[in-house]
């Protein structure tokens, strides 16, 4: 690695850290309505939304109401996206006359975008009309991210409120997150991307004749606006099939820098927002420190794997990577996109060295809690925090408490379930796929690499990540249905327990902190948290990773590739 | 105590009894081990029938069985210690004959078992009190050593706060009439036996929550191991190898048992039982495990001043004469006036005069003195020195008001200089005792509550643990403030009534605090019931003992601090062993996974690539797996003493305690199995247990 490589990593991380308190404070003011400074048009838009939808912004909801509203809203979103796809040939804005996809593909895509996964078993430019992309997918890009923010806000309120039955108002949280946080950022990013040459039009696909005299079709569309939100809202679903490797989606190193920054910007800021909401910036910085430390180590391991000499492939191989980004930008992205539940790619993960590809998979397996999805990463991390507090908290001689709230059976039940559910889905799904012909027939590679392809698909779906390893033909009834179910269960099987925990915590009284209380604000806790994440969250996957990326790496060192 | 051979034998027998699946299902972690053991046994037997005897499988099967047994043994041992204690209590319950008074005060002999609530029984010296009750008539000294272990007899009398008697105790002097308040089977003794035996032991809230987490971990490991079989099959097919002899059922079960938290799962209930047991050793009976847990969480202690913070008796600390009177004269007079005074206060005056001025109180011969005892009417005491039966000196001591009245009645005047002296004494928290001879006031004796030595340091310790102490006293605010300052408590309640106490508890609880208190009187009952930890004194009334969730058999109010410490120790032990158990997993992965897959992609000349993960350099795949399983079983046995004794408790702040425990049990838990498994592997290989 050169100095330039280190500088590129450093510049991104520095920008992330500088933006965190600024954006974090802004999100806090929006979510709590305290001292929010927003431009007039956005305020008018918010009021208009309330009026049209008949929302009373000040009505407080208990966890059951909050959860029902959330589920109802997402169910509605699913139905709309599903129908838009199935009926797209009868609807306007379809210059290529694309017909309806298969029912299972439509199901998979609808679930995928509603759950903020954005797994794409389809190729955008050859499957979906402009209308479907605009009204269906782009809208879901916003609201699925806002759903994550809302759930996080509800959890933060549950932690900070004392003997209260309510967690805020779902509709208000959704409206404010969308209009004041996601929309302005998306506008800015769209302009940046258009400035760098990302396409943004409604014209039909263009034909061009190449120097070789061949005919080439150039896809068009409202790409910049969707790409902006796909990055900002940890969505990741590319406008074009090859995602951010496509020159119309990510044309220059500058667009690449801004797109990469956008992946982690909001998730990182929301850690700070959470800290403000629960009244402890110190705690937030401890969590932030844990996330950042793990991120840097993971990037480091990936870089080591990519740059280390190997007899099979030679040094620093670029197959599957974009030459305009190079190796370092590829692994920064592969890590950013997998620690967050983004899922966009600027290089094919299948082409990374086995360990770097394994790290990308490992990031998702951890539960996407290193910054993670917008809002989702934070509430996912809090589940691990609760588990760490519960397991180690007893050692100070008190029953475990978090912000003075006793962590008891109910909290532990609904903490354990969402922690093990995604892991269970990954293991079961991948195990079925690699023992059935329906699963195996989609493989492009064999041996450990084939196992990685299958494992990655189920990991990506169950982590609501959406990135693809490539190499696996996912558009089959088997994969569309199983992966769709994984996405659905992993998203709502986590959000619902989180809201239950939030509701229960809100109800409790809070014991004041004393010298005898377990502190979640220091280095010691950071250490405990890392250990809990690695032992409980990650070690489960050690055996299967050993059979996939690890053995592939070792075999590659011995000269065998797959 | 731990190695009592009778206990060990009984625990071994009970460990077998606990193999009953109905018992095992209560503990999901160990239930999985049971199922695993059975499956391994079936697999082994099937192979034997097929003519393939595998010593390896047999050993795995046996060690899995031992794992199960060790966990059962730990629980049985913890229970056994309680049972032994219960046995000695039960012996007291054996058929006592009661002397019941019928309606017309006629006495009849009945079996104690037939007594009903409300019956009155007579107990004279030598009689065993037939049941729990209240003294309604008389006063007697009672030997309660059977329950408390305290050999000094206690006084029980009708009315007041010392009226409760416990069935099974023995009257050693005088005669009392007792009204029975608890029916047979529901008496204090019965409840104690039940508690000590652990018969009615229920899981505490924290244990329930922990069991849930452990079950969750177990489920995910079951899935991880089950799916591993399928991943292994895929890998074997892809590599064109036959791995069926490596990835066998016993090996998968070995991996599973090593990964699920068997250490804490096996010791969890033993830790809980022994926590209650440790309370019993301190002569405190907790009515539930929940109460012991709550004790660890307590962060506010309501402490009665008397007996806990001070010795309970005021003592003379200074002689302050009025101007013109030599201090020695005052001391001498006060000493003489106190000679017959057997109260601790009186004695302390005699002692002080002796210490300060070397006054050796020559005992006045009885014919030369007439003692005037303290009476509620006069509120003074003293002595009249006689010469030929005529009083020549009248010496009195008493409160300011009483002495003033006394001297003014005798034609004296109240000197104005005395008032500032009395004020000064009062302001410093003391009690002024005025001494007069004839109708002249000589001065004041400063009586002071003396704070127990070392109590200030104890409170400072509690503060560093985040526990606030509140002194409760009936004294006026001035006195209370001064003692509070001297003892170093965080807060005090002066002129505290039972209602004020109750309100204070509610208020603290509303602010999220958990409160512990001790009490003995009937009027303490509501507060005892309201407190999160209410320790009733055994000498207290029945109502108080019913209201609290703990009973201190020694009736020592200072015990409250130990109760809190025992609660904390229990929670720490549970946390430490949980951490240890979870941290153990890392090493076990590194022992078993490389062992299972070292043959994958192996060539004729070299082992497979995953053999490189065998960082412990274990001898062979089989020895690696066997060693991990053996370690997993033995660690339970190794930790039984720790589970029963509890980890060492240190009064430190949370941060320091956490760092220490994290290092010992977290880091220790990470490293120990690496060393342990390696050592066992060497041993297993040397002994030739693996062919």
């Amino acid at each position: 690695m050169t100095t330039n490589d280190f500088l590129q990593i450093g510049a991104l991380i520095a920008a992330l850290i500088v933006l965190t308190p600024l954006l974090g404070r802004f999100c806090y003011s929006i979510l709590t309505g305290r001292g929010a400074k927003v431009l007039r048009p956005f305020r008018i838009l918010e009021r208009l939304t309330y009026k049209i939808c008949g929302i009373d912004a000040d009505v407080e909801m208990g966890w059951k109401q909050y959860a029902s509203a959330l589920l109802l809203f997402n169910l509605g979103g699913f139905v709309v996206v599903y129908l838009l796809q199935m009926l797209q040939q009868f609807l306007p804005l379809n210059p290529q006359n694309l017909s309806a996809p298969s029912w299972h593909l439509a199901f998979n895509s609808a679930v995928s975008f509603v759950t903020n996964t954005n797994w794409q078993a389809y190729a955008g430019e050859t499957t979906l009309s402009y209308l479907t992309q605009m009204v269906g997918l782009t809208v879901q890009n916003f609201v699925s991210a806002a759903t994550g923010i809302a759930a996080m806000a509800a959890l933060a309120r549950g932690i900070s409120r004392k003997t209260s039955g309510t967690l805020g108002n779902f509709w208000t949280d959704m409206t404010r997150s969308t209009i004041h946080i996601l929309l302005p950022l998306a506008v800015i990013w769209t302009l940046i991307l258009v400035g760098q040459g990302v396409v943004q039009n409604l014209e039909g696909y263009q034909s061009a004749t190449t120097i070789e005299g061949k005919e080439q079709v150039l896809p068009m569309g409202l790409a910049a606006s969707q790409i902006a939100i796909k990055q900002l809202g940890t969505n990741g679903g590319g406008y074009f099939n090859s995602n951010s490797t496509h020159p119309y989606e990510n044309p220059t190193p500058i667009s690449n820098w801004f797109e990469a920054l956008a992946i982690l910007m909001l998730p990182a800021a929301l850690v700070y927002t959470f800290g403000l909401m629960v009244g402890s910036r110190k705690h937030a910085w401890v969590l932030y420190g844990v996330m950042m430390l793990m991120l840097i180590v993971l990037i480091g391991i990936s870089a080591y794997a990519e740059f280390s000499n190997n007899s099979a492939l030679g040094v620093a191989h670029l197959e599957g990577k974009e030459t305009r980004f190079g190796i370092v930008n590829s692994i920064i992205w592969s890590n950013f996109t997998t620690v967050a539940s983004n899922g966009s790619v600027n290089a094919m993960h299948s082409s990374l060295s086995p360990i770097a590809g394994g790290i990308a998979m490992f990031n998702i397996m951890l539960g996407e809690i290193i910054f993670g999805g917008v809002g989702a990463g934070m509430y996912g991390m809090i589940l691990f925090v609760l588990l760490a507090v519960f397991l180690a908290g007893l050692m100070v001689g008190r029953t475990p408490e978090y912000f003075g709230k006793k962590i008891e059976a109910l909290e532990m039940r609904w903490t354990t379930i969402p922690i093990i559910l995604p892991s269970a889905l990954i293991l079961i799904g991948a195990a079925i796929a690699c023992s059935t012909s329906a699963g195996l027939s989609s493989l492009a590679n064999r041996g450990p690499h084939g196992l990685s392809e299958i494992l990655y698909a189920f990991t990506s779906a169950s982590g609501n990540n959406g990135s693809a390893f490539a190499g696996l033909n996912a558009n089959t009834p088997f994969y569309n249905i199983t992966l769709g179910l994984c996405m659905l269960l992993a998203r709502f099987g986590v959000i619902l327990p989180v809201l239950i925990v939030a509701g229960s915590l809100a109800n409790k009284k809070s014991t004041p902190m004393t010298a005898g209380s377990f502190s979640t604000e220091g280095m010691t806790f950071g250490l405990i948290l890392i250990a809990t994440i690695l032992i409980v969250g990650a070690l489960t996957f050690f055996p299967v990773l050993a059979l996939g990326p690890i053995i592939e790496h070792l075999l590659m060192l011995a000269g065998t590739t797959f | 105590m731990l190695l009592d051979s009778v206990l060990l034998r009984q625990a071994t027998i009970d460990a077998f009894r606990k193999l009953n699946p109905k018992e095992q299902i209560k503990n999901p972690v160990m239930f999985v081990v049971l199922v695993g053991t059975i499956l391994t046994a079936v697999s082994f037997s099937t192979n034997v029938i097929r003519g393939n005897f595998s010593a390896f499988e047999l050993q795995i099967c046996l060690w899995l069985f031992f794992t199960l047994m060790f966990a059962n043994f730990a629980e049985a041992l913890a229970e056994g210690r309680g049972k032994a204690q219960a046995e000695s209590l039960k012996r007291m319950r054996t058929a006592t004959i009661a002397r019941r008074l019928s309606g017309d005060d006629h006495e009849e002999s009945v079996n104690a078992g037939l007594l009903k609530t409300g019956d009155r029984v007579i107990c004279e010296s030598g009689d065993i009190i037939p049941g729990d009750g209240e003294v309604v008539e008389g006063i007697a000294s009672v030997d309660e050593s059977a329950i408390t272990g305290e050999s000094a007899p206690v006084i029980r009398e009708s009315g007041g706060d010392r009226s409760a008697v416990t069935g099974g105790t023995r009257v050693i002097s005088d005669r009392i009439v007792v009204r029975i308040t608890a029916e047979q089977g529901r008496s204090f003794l019965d409840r104690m036996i039940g508690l000590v035996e652990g018969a009615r032991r229920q899981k505490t809230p924290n244990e329930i929550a922990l069991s849930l987490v452990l079950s969750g971990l177990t489920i995910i490991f079951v899935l991880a191991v089950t799916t591993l079989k399928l991943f292994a099959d895929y890998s074997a097919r892809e590599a064109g190898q036959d791995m069926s002899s490596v990835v066998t059922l016993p090996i998968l079960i070995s991996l599973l048992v090593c990964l699920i938290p068997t250490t804490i799962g096996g010791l969890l209930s033993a830790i809980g039982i022994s926590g209650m047991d440790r309370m019993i050793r301190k002569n405190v009976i907790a009515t539930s495990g929940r109460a012991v847990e709550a004790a660890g969480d307590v962060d506010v202690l309501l402490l009665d001043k008397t007996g806990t913070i001070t010795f309970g008796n005021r003592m003379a600390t200074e002689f302050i004469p009025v101007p013109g009177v030599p201090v020695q004269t005052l001391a001498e007079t006060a000493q003489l006036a106190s000679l017959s005074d057997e109260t601790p206060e009186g004695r302390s005056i005699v002692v002080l005069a002796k210490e300060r001025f070397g006054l050796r109180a020559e005992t006045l011969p009885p014919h030369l003195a007439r003692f005037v005892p303290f009476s509620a009417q006069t509120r003074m005491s003293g002595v009249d020195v006689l010469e030929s039966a005529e009083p020549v000196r009248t010496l009195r001591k008493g409160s300011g008001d009483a002495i003033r009245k006394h001297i003014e009645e005798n034609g004296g005047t109240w000197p104005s200089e005395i008032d500032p002296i009395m004020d000064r004494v009062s302001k410093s928290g003391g009690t002024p005792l005025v001494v007069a001879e004839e109708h002249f006031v000589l001065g004041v004796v400063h009586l002071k509550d003396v704070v127990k030595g070392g109590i200030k340091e104890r409170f400072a310790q509690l503060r560093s643990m985040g526990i606030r102490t509140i002194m409760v006293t009936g004294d006026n605010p001035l006195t209370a403030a001064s003692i509070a300052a001297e003892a170093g408590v965080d807060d005090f309640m002066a002129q505290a009534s039972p209602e004020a106490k109750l309100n204070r508890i509610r208020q603290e609880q509303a602010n999220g605090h958990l409160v512990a208190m001790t009490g003995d009187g009937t009027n303490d009952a509501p507060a005892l019931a309201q407190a999160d930890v209410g320790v009733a004194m055994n000498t207290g009334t029945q109502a108080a003992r019913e209201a609290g969730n703990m009973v201190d058999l020694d009736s020592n109010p200072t015990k409250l601090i130990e109760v809190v410490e025992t609660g904390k120790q229990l929670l720490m032990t549970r946390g430490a062993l949980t951490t240890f158990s979870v941290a153990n997993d890392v090493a076990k992965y590194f022992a078993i996974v490389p062992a299972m897959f070292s043959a994958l992609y192996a060539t004729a000349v070299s082992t497979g690539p995953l053999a490189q993960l065998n960082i412990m350099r274990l001898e062979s795949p089989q020895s690696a797996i066997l060693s991990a399983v053996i370690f997993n079983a033995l660690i339970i046995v190794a930790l039984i003493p720790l589970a029963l004794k509890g980890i060492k408790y240190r009064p430190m702040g949370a941060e320091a305690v956490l760092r220490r425990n994290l290092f010992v049990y977290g880091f220790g838990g990470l490293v120990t199995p690496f060393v342990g498994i390696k050592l066992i592997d060497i041993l297993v290989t040397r002994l030739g247990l693996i062919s």
Side-chain angles (χ1 to χ4, degrees), chain A residues 54 113 189 226 232 242 251 320 333 353 362 427 483-484 493 499 510 545:
Chain A
F113 277 77
W189 249 257
Q226 190 181 322
L232 288 162
S242 54
W333 192 300
S353 66
F362 179 78
L427 290 171
L483 294 175
L499 291 177
S510 166
L545 286 175

Side-chain angles (χ1 to χ4, degrees), chain A residues 25-90:
Chain A
R25 184 164 288 283
F26 175 73
C27 293
Y28 169 75
S29 69
I30 296 298
L31 287 172
T32 55
R34 267 177 230 153
K37 290 193 192 76
V38 296
L39 294 174
R40 244 178 87 82
F42 293 110
R43 193 175 293 284
I44 294 170
L45 193 57
E46 181 187 349
R47 292 219 191 97
L48 210 62
T49 311
Y50 292 154
K51 198 167 267 177
I52 295 170
C53 304
I55 297 168
D56 183 348
D58 298 322
V59 172
E60 286 280 327
M61 294 176 165
W63 80 262
K64 281 182 188 156
Q65 270 177 293
Y66 202 99
S68 317
L70 188 147
L71 291 178
L72 197 71
F73 180 80
N74 280 282
L75 178 68
F78 168 79
V79 172
V80 169
V81 178
Y82 184 78
L83 290 180
L84 273 173
Q85 293 177 81
M86 298 309 280
L87 303 174
Q88 64 180 357
Q89 65 198 105
F90 310 111

Side-chain angles (χ1 to χ4, degrees), chain B residues 124-281:
Chain B
E124 277 180 310
S125 71
D127 287 349
I128 301 273
I129 297 175
D132 287 4
E134 215 179 353
V135 181
V136 289
E137 202 183 306
I139 175 167
S141 53
V142 178
D143 172 14
E144 296 193 336
S145 61
I147 293 181
T148 63
E150 177 63 53
S151 53
V154 292
I155 301 296
R156 291 284 177 256
E157 60 187 337
S158 61
D161 287 345
R162 294 192 297 177
S163 63
V165 288
T166 308
T169 57
R170 201 160 53 89
V171 176
I172 53 175
S173 77
D174 304 287
R175 171 185 188 274
I176 45 173
V177 176
V178 173
R179 191 164 52 81
I180 298 296
T181 52
E183 262 168 73
Q184 197 72 11
R186 290 236 203 90
S187 71
F188 182 62
L189 195 61
D190 292 312
R191 276 199 300 151
M192 255 176 65
I193 292 170
L195 289 167
V196 172
E197 271 187 326
R200 264 177 289 144
R201 208 187 97 81
Q202 286 176 321
K203 278 188 181 172
T204 65
N206 180 259
E207 277 178 310
I208 293 173
L210 184 55
S211 303
L212 273 169
V213 175
L214 298 181
S215 305
L217 292 177
T218 306
I219 291 171
I220 194 69
F221 287 129
V222 167
L223 278 175
V225 172
T226 320
T227 53
L228 185 59
K229 166 77 177 141
L230 299 174
F231 294 131
D233 288 348
Y234 166 87
S235 302
R237 271 198 313 277
E238 293 293 311
Q241 287 176 306
D242 178 17
M243 300 273 290
S244 62
S245 65
V246 185
V247 188
T248 62
L249 185 68
I251 288 180
L252 286 168
I253 286 171
S254 301
L255 177 62
L256 175 62
V257 170
C258 285
L259 294 184
I260 60 176
T262 46
T263 314
I264 182 63
L267 294 172
L268 185 58
S269 74
I271 295 168
I273 296 168
S274 60
M276 286 182 80
D277 199 50
R278 276 197 299 281
M279 284 283 188
I280 292 168
R281 264 154 225 278

Side-chain angles (χ1 to χ4, degrees), chain A residues 387 390-392 394-400 406 408-409 412-413 416 420 423-424 427-428 430-431 434-435 440 443 446-448 450-451 509-512 514-519 524 528 535-536 539-540 542-544 546-547 550-551 554-555 562, chain B residues 206 208-210 212-213 216-217 220 223-224 227-228 230-232 234-235 237-238 293 296-297 299 464-466 509 511-513 568 571-572 574-576 578-579 582 586 589-590 593 597 600-601 609-610 612-613 653-655 657-659 661-662:
Chain A
L387 188 65
F390 184 81
L391 290 177
L394 280 172
M395 279 196 291
V396 303
R398 292 171 65 84
T399 53
K406 288 270 172 237
E408 292 165 299
M412 272 351 275
R413 170 176 293 122
T416 310
I420 67 174
S423 303
L427 290 171
I428 296 173
C434 74
S435 340
L440 292 170
L443 289 183
R446 308 300 304 186
L451 182 62
K509 53 186 182 187
S510 166
T511 309
T514 66
S517 313
F518 181 80
S519 164
T524 319
I528 293 172
I535 295 179
V536 178
L539 267 186
T540 321
F542 179 63
V544 65
L547 293 178
I550 296 177
I551 197 168
L554 296 171
L555 287 167
F562 295 90
Chain B
N206 180 259
I208 293 173
L210 184 55
L212 273 169
V213 175
L217 292 177
I220 194 69
L223 278 175
T227 53
L228 185 59
L230 299 174
F231 294 131
Y234 166 87
S235 302
R237 271 198 313 277
E238 293 293 311
E293 227 165 60
D297 280 344
D299 55 358
S464 74
M465 290 156 55
Q509 287 173 335
N511 291 330
H513 294 287
K568 285 200 177 296
L571 295 174
M572 281 182 197
R574 192 181 292 153
T578 306
T579 307
V582 174
V586 179
Y589 274 111
F590 278 98
V593 171
F597 299 116
L600 194 61
Y601 291 100
L610 285 179
Q612 292 173 44
L613 293 180
E655 193 63 29
V657 171
L658 183 65
R659 273 209 205 114
N661 287 339
L662 202 60

Side-chain angles (χ1 to χ4, degrees), chain B residues 482-518:
Chain B
S482 127
I483 294 172
E486 195 180 339
V489 291
D490 296 289
D491 198 358
F492 66 90
M493 287 175 71
Q495 288 167 343
S497 61
E499 296 75 43
K501 234 171 163 177
L502 181 63
N503 287 335
R504 179 63 184 258
I505 294 175
R506 289 205 173 123
Q507 182 198 328
E508 293 287 351
Q509 287 173 335
N511 291 330
H513 294 287
L514 270 85
V515 185
M517 68 167 287
T518 56

Side-chain angles (χ1 to χ4, degrees), chain B residues 447-467:
Chain B
L447 292 178
K448 202 174 144 188
D449 242 347
V450 179
V451 171
K452 284 182 174 176
I455 200 87
K456 190 165 188 167
E457 291 69 33
R458 199 89 189 257
F459 290 154
Q461 255 175 25
L462 287 174
R463 200 168 306 120
S464 74
M465 290 156 55
I467 297 171

